[in-house]
């Protein structure tokens, strides 16, 4: 009986987000016309690709037992830098936004691993610093991108009938999944989250791996900022507000424990899609006229949903331990 209960709770914890995602898709398909139409599907994928990239970096950070509150401001900074460099071509804009993200990630990595400052405090400080830099570079206003250079294709273009941002996110998740599951780097990430001191005693390069994790998180946030600027035609110095909460929510919904040591790249992607579809469905409901929810109420729902998921996750963990 205990073995059966253990398997049930482990199965719910592992596949719960996929079950919820499929249920939501079926609900939307039955209730709304054109919910699974090409325009809506591709729009959801194009828009949520930015959040998917940020959530991927956050997934690795949380698995190590850390947190990165700077990803939203880093994305905003990346969007501004990319927009400023977009007149020089696609590559300068792309590399500029990516470099901005890597710079913030490098600061986080150095302060956390070398100076020993807690990730929460460190990334809170760099969040404020990155936001200030974005506003200074943009002179407290949106920065228009160059449409002549072809830079906007990074956010608005398609390849083989699929949005380019979605291709970028898909490639990143494939690489992330392979790294986490099949490499020594991924095993070290999991070991750090399980017990960092034990990982060091085993001779694992904990500090170096943790530094690379924060560097990667910053780079992915900068890349998300590039897509933001290309997709909306402007660098947005204040657009990233709340992105870190969306990323944390997606990671936690995907079953990654906030305490670290357990996580899945694929489930994080499912968490991003689940949250994206929830707000897509809310927009459909607004269109039907049954309800009228502003963006502010949608933020309230997002927070309540995150709290509910964390509570359920904690309950499932307790049940799993009891069954074991």
């Amino acid at each position: 009986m205990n073995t059966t209960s253990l398997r049930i709770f482990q199965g719910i914890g592992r596949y719960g987000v996929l079950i919820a995602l499929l249920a939501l898709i079926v609900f939307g398909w039955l209730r709304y016309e054109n919910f699974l139409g090409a325009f809506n599907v591709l729009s959801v994928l194009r828009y949520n690709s930015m959040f998917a990239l940020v959530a991927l970096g956050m997934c690795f950070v949380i698995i190590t037992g850390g947190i990165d509150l700077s990803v939203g401001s880093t994305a905003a900074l990346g969007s501004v830098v990319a927009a400023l460099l977009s007149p020089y071509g696609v590559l300068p804009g792309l590399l500029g936004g990516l470099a901005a993200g890597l710079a913030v990630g490098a600061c986080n990595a150095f302060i956390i691993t070398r100076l020993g400052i807690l990730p929460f405090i460190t990334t809170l400080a760099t969040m404020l610093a990155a936001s200030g830099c974005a506003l200074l570079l943009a002179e407290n206003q949106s920065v228009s991108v160059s449409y002549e250079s072809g830079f906007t294709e990074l956010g608005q273009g398609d390849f083989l009938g699929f949005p380019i941002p979605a291709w970028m996110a898909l490639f990143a998740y494939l690489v992330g999944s392979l790294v986490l599951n099949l490499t020594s780097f991924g095993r070290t990430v999991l070991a750090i989250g399980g017990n960092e001191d034990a990982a060091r005693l085993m001779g694992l390069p904990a500090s170096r791996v943790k530094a690379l994790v924060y560097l990667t998180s910053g780079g992915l946030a900068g890349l998300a900022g590039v897509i933001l600027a290309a997709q909306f035609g402007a660098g947005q110095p204040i657009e990233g507000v709340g992105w870190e909460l969306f990323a944390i929510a997606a990671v936690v919904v995907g079953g990654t424990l906030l305490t670290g040591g357990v996580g899945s790249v694929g489930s994080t992607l499912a968490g991003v899609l689940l949250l994206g579809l929830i707000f897509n469905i809310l927009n459909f409901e607004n269109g039907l006229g049954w309800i009228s929810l502003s963006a502010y109420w949608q933020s309230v729902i997002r927070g309540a949903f995150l709290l509910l998921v964390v509570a359920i996750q904690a309950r499932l963990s307790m049940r799993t331990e009891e069954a074991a």
Side-chain angles (χ1 to χ4, degrees), residues 23-161:
L24 201 62
I25 292 173
V26 172
F27 171 80
W29 172 59
L30 293 175
R31 180 166 175 77
Y32 311 114
E33 185 178 359
N34 296 323
F35 179 77
L36 292 181
F39 177 79
N40 186 58
V41 171
L42 295 179
S43 295
V44 169
L45 294 176
R46 187 185 305 277
Y47 179 68
N48 285 283
S49 61
M50 298 179 292
F51 303 120
L53 290 171
V54 172
L56 177 59
M58 187 70 76
C59 176
F60 276 84
V61 168
I62 290 179
I63 289 176
T64 65
I67 198 75
D68 189 352
L69 300 178
S70 66
V71 291
S73 296
T74 301
L77 176 61
S79 76
V80 171
V81 172
L84 291 172
L85 294 176
S86 64
Y88 301 99
V90 176
L91 191 59
L94 174 62
L95 294 180
L98 182 62
L102 289 172
V104 177
C107 290
N108 287 333
F110 177 79
I111 295 171
I112 291 170
T113 61
R114 297 299 182 184
L115 302 184
I117 307 299
L118 292 174
F120 182 87
I121 301 300
T122 299
T123 58
L124 179 63
T126 53
M127 175 185 75
L128 298 174
S131 178
C133 290
L135 289 168
L136 286 171
L137 289 174
E139 298 181 350
N140 201 25
Q141 60 185 350
S142 297
V143 180
S144 297
V145 304
S146 171
Y147 286 87
E148 290 77 17
S149 66
F151 174 77
T152 54
E153 285 296 306
L154 289 175
Q156 302 174 15
D158 295 325
F159 178 70
L160 298 177

Side-chain angles (χ1 to χ4, degrees), residues 7-19:
R7 288 178 178 175
I8 291 174
F9 290 124
Q10 286 178 337
I12 293 174
R14 181 176 300 177
Y15 302 111
V17 63
L18 295 175
I19 295 171

